[in-house]
Amino acid sequence: MTATIIDGKSIAERLRQQIAADVARFTAEGHGVPGLAVVLVGNDPASEVYVGSKARQTTAVGMQSFEHRLPAETSQDELLTLIARLNKDAAVDGILVQLPLPAQIDTDRIVAAVDPAKDVDGFHPENAGRLMRGLPSLLPCTPLGAMLLLRSVATNLQGMHAVVVGRSNIVGKPIAQLLLQADCTVTMTHSRSRDLPALCRQADILVAAVGRPQMVRGDWIKPGAIVIDVGINRLPAQGTTKGRLVGDVAFDEAVHVAGAITPVPGGVGPMTIACLLQNTLQAARERRGLAKPAA
Ligand code: GUN
């Protein structure tokens, strides 16, 4: 048996085309150009790549991109001052502060300083709390993208057993809430869970979001399960070969057991920025009273 490969690259491409059409209509109707501000502190190489792609894709769908690159020694107060300015700036509909932040900055303070109406990451405690309560809110981009991929192979998730590996605030916790809202039975697992392979083998839907390369092996997967691999890990370089990107799932093994699986690269990764653009358009609509505000 070979699993259906869920093509995140082409699903993300279609989503971006839809967003571009929606942005064109929004602007033609006189509502202005939606704007996304991305803030990067320091020069973490992976973050620089992400921020560059975000800016390119933002302008490609017809939105305005505001990039703020600050030195690694930026103080917390300086960053808070910038966020206060972006909160007030009418041209800015969405604000994303790239994580991780340097050690001298309290990430929770920064996340809480972003106007919840502009919080296109869905990380603000108000938005996280609303998600927990099942209220409409801006949703974190990676879980949102992962859910779209899941729904591309299974429209009705009711009663399915979803096992989430990883309890991060960015992925594990919010995706568990989204799966719960879709009427799945949800099991949260993490690095301290006892007999993780046995827990994973119960999953109709297995979401791997731990950041450990190829940790989930083929024999952890129930035959026919849907596997959503959120991991993006670079294997160490060997001699002249650059380390290749792999997920949290041993794809070559899993592909023979799963019913459907997202590859790495080309699965969840491309969906994240597409969902960020969708959130920015949603924030722009809500800020102008064009969509039902999250209230
Ligand atoms: N760093 C890794 N993933 C993310 C994300 O989704 N948003 C932000 N702001 N930073 C990240």
Side-chain angles (χ1 to χ4, degrees):
M1 193 172 79
T2 303
T4 300
I5 313 290
I6 304 172
D7 185 354
K9 209 171 150 202
S10 72
I11 294 173
E13 170 67 34
R14 277 205 302 279
L15 180 55
R16 285 198 306 270
Q17 283 170 7
Q18 179 62 53
I19 295 165
D22 291 346
V23 169
R25 184 151 23 90
F26 181 91
T27 303
E29 285 169 353
H31 305 302
V33 180
L36 171 64
V38 175
V39 181
L40 173 63
V41 185
N43 33 32
D44 176 68
S47 292
E48 287 199 345
V49 172
Y50 291 138
V51 167
S53 317
K54 281 168 189 164
R56 266 194 311 282
Q57 294 189 31
T58 303
T59 50
V61 296
M63 298 192 201
Q64 249 185 301
S65 168
F66 306 99
E67 250 183 86
H68 296 269
R69 291 175 183 251
L70 307 178
E73 23 343 307
T74 300
S75 71
Q76 180 167 296
D77 282 347
E78 285 169 322
L79 184 53
L80 286 169
T81 303
L82 171 61
I83 291 170
R85 185 153 63 77
L86 297 174
N87 282 344
K88 280 204 219 96
D89 188 339
V92 173
D93 294 292
I95 301 170
L96 180 145
V97 182
Q98 186 67 32
L99 305 181
L101 290 166
Q104 74 275 17
I105 296 174
D106 177 352
T107 301
D108 287 335
R109 262 304 287 285
I110 299 303
V111 166
V114 174
D115 178 351
K118 297 188 176 188
D119 170 37
V120 285
D121 256 330
F123 292 168
H124 189 284
E126 183 176 316
N127 285 318
R130 295 183 66 91
L131 171 60
M132 178 85 171
R133 300 278 306 197
L135 296 169
S137 63
L138 287 163
L139 296 171
C141 306
T142 301
L144 192 54
M147 288 300 291
L148 292 175
L149 294 187
L150 175 57
R151 288 187 186 282
S152 78
V153 290
T155 41
N156 185 4
L157 308 180
Q158 198 171 35
M160 291 174 90
H161 187 183
V163 175
V164 179
V165 189
R167 54 179 156 180
S168 69
N169 288 319
I170 294 185
V171 183
K173 287 183 205 167
I175 203 167
Q177 293 299 327
L178 295 174
L179 290 161
L180 205 52
Q181 278 179 22
D183 294 329
C184 290
T185 301
V186 182
T187 300
M188 287 292 293
T189 72
H190 46 79
S191 57
R192 302 285 181 272
S193 294
R194 231 175 274 159
D195 202 354
L196 195 51
L199 291 167
C200 290
R201 272 193 289 271
Q202 296 177 23
D204 303 310
I205 298 164
L206 182 60
V207 178
V210 267
R212 307 251 317 250
Q214 300 169 315
M215 186 184 81
V216 175
R217 307 298 303 262
D219 64 359
W220 295 26
I221 295 166
K222 175 156 118 178
I226 304 170
V227 178
I228 306 291
D229 189 350
V230 184
I232 301 179
N233 313 287
R234 195 172 283 285
L235 287 179
Q238 306 263 318
T240 55
T241 58
K242 207 173 144 209
R244 72 184 169 100
L245 285 185
V246 297
D248 291 346
V249 177
F251 181 88
D252 294 346
E253 297 175 8
V255 75
H256 299 296
V257 188
I261 185 167
T262 61
V264 177
V268 176
M271 295 297 290
T272 298
I273 298 181
C275 288
L276 172 68
L277 302 175
Q278 191 176 51
N279 277 352
T280 305
L281 180 57
Q282 184 188 329
R285 283 190 176 127
E286 287 175 6
R287 281 172 19 80
R288 289 160 180 78
L290 300 169
K292 225 165 93 163

